[in-house]
Amino acid sequence: MAVNYIVYIDESGDPGLCGAAANSVTNDWMLLSAFVVRQRYDTDVQQWADEIRGRFKNSQRPDIHFSDLIPVKKRIACEMIATKPCRYFFVASHKENMRSYRNERVKVSGGAWYYWWLSRILLERVTAFCYARSSPVSRSKETMRIIFSKRGGLKYADFVQYMRKIERQSRAGRLFLKRGDLVWSMIDYDEVRVLPHAAHAGLQMADIGAGAFYQAVTADISGEFHAEFLKALTPVIAKDAHGTILNCGVKVMPKLSDLALKPDQRMIFEHFGYNPNGWSPNAQAKAS
């Protein structure tokens, strides 16, 4: 089996569910970001990061962390990445709608089940996208390397155990969630890895995507939303065969029409093609 794609995964937001509040926008979202490149471009990613830092004035850090950048540097980073041969995938989960939910089928402690569940949904889209773009002659032998940015409180062996269980259910036709599935031929459990954020530029690219999305849907201390950074990444957010971003490069849970989002939060999803008339009147009333 040959590794043809490298998938770097990072997050923005806290996977804990107890902090979400119905009338708060400060801790409502959990974002997972996948930065994906073909294997032949993987050695170029560090050069891309160096190019970005080279555009920064007075940059002392050897790595890039989106939340530490001033707005002009955030824009530079996103605009430069948007010119590279890569793709982003995002899963955005509104935590208020998850507070009472507990997935008893994922036997891991604390909020880790939530992180692994979101990772699974993210990889459903990544595997389908990469498989569709692989050569029909060789796609059955092509796999991906999955690299998580290391964070405390997670046992990555639990993720592999969870995925093996889901794969067994899939192959037996007994998936609990019927709407989606991974392309399992793309998964090689020996290629699931964990590295610190600073250890690879690919993880820093995933961090940039996660941070950009988070700031588009989460207000800063002045109550403002900043969608301009995520909009700058639009050219490299994955699209389906019809050119649609939503439910391919961007997956939102629950469905957007059910979310009580403020008008400034809704703008980014409308930018990605969501019908402005599709918001539920009841949800809009709650947001006002």
Side-chain angles (χ1 to χ4, degrees):
M1 304 292 281
V3 173
N4 283 72
Y5 297 92
I6 316 295
V7 182
Y8 296 94
I9 298 176
D10 201 358
E11 86 290 330
S12 189
D14 189 329
L17 296 174
C18 60
N23 59 356
S24 169
V25 295
T26 58
N27 194 30
D28 280 353
W29 293 92
M30 177 64 187
L31 277 299
L32 251 60
S33 164
F35 175 78
V36 182
V37 292
R38 290 184 181 269
Q39 193 277 335
R40 64 177 178 268
Y41 294 121
D42 191 46
T43 55
D44 297 332
V45 178
Q46 182 60 58
Q47 179 181 336
W48 302 347
D50 292 341
E51 290 174 3
I52 293 170
R53 289 190 299 104
R55 290 279 306 277
F56 295 166
K57 294 182 179 180
N58 304 318
S59 177
Q60 302 295 324
R61 292 186 57 151
D63 60 343
I64 300 171
H65 204 292
F66 191 79
S67 64
D68 294 335
L69 301 177
I70 61 174
V72 66
K73 292 183 179 180
K74 291 175 180 177
R75 181 181 289 276
I76 288 171
C78 293
E79 288 178 349
M80 293 186 69
I81 294 171
T83 67
K84 305 302 183 183
C86 62
R87 287 295 180 270
Y88 276 102
F89 296 80
F90 301 100
V91 170
S93 176
H94 194 262
K95 296 198 296 182
E96 167 61 18
N97 294 271
M98 296 295 300
R99 285 196 297 166
S100 61
Y101 181 76
R102 180 71 173 95
N103 191 340
E104 298 296 339
R105 291 169 297 280
V106 185
K107 302 299 183 181
V108 294
S109 60
W113 69 267
Y114 184 40
Y115 194 96
W116 301 141
W117 179 59
L118 296 180
S119 298
R120 166 195 173 180
I121 293 171
L122 183 69
L123 289 170
E124 286 177 359
R125 282 139 188 85
V126 175
T127 56
F129 183 91
C130 294
Y131 182 82
R133 283 151 185 81
S134 297
S135 167
V137 176
S138 60
R139 62 173 43 145
S140 63
K141 298 179 180 179
E142 295 185 6
T143 62
M144 55 181 52
R145 179 173 299 141
I146 302 168
I147 304 177
F148 286 95
S149 182
K150 186 175 183 179
R151 63 169 292 147
L154 295 178
K155 297 179 181 179
Y156 291 87
D158 287 344
F159 171 71
V160 172
Q161 180 182 4
Y162 168 56
M163 292 291 282
R164 288 185 183 277
K165 179 179 180 179
I166 297 300
E167 182 179 6
R168 289 195 298 270
Q169 292 175 348
S170 173
R171 296 190 185 283
R174 293 187 287 106
L175 279 176
F176 181 79
L177 298 176
K178 306 296 185 183
R179 290 187 178 182
D181 198 4
L182 284 81
V183 179
W184 291 103
S185 64
M186 300 292 297
I187 300 296
D188 182 346
Y189 297 111
D190 291 332
E191 293 290 349
V192 177
R193 303 179 183 182
V194 186
L195 292 173
H197 169 90
H200 200 292
L203 293 174
Q204 297 162 43
M205 302 297 108
D207 167 77
I208 289 170
F213 205 124
Y214 193 75
Q215 292 198 356
V217 295
T218 304
D220 62 16
I221 58 174
S222 64
E224 296 183 352
F225 299 86
H226 296 277
E228 63 269 25
F229 311 123
L230 186 58
K231 286 182 178 180
L233 290 174
T234 301
V236 289
I237 298 177
K239 303 174 180 65
D240 65 17
H242 304 288
T244 303
I245 287 178
L246 290 176
N247 208 36
C248 180
V250 173
K251 171 64 177 177
V252 185
M253 297 181 300
K255 61 183 180 180
L256 282 166
S257 61
D258 290 344
L259 296 182
L261 301 185
K262 295 181 178 296
D264 286 347
Q265 287 176 300
R266 296 199 295 263
M267 287 176 60
I268 189 61
F269 300 111
E270 293 173 5
H271 169 75
F272 290 143
Y274 188 72
N275 184 349
N277 297 318
W279 303 103
S280 165
N282 293 333
Q284 291 188 50
K286 291 180 182 178
S288 61

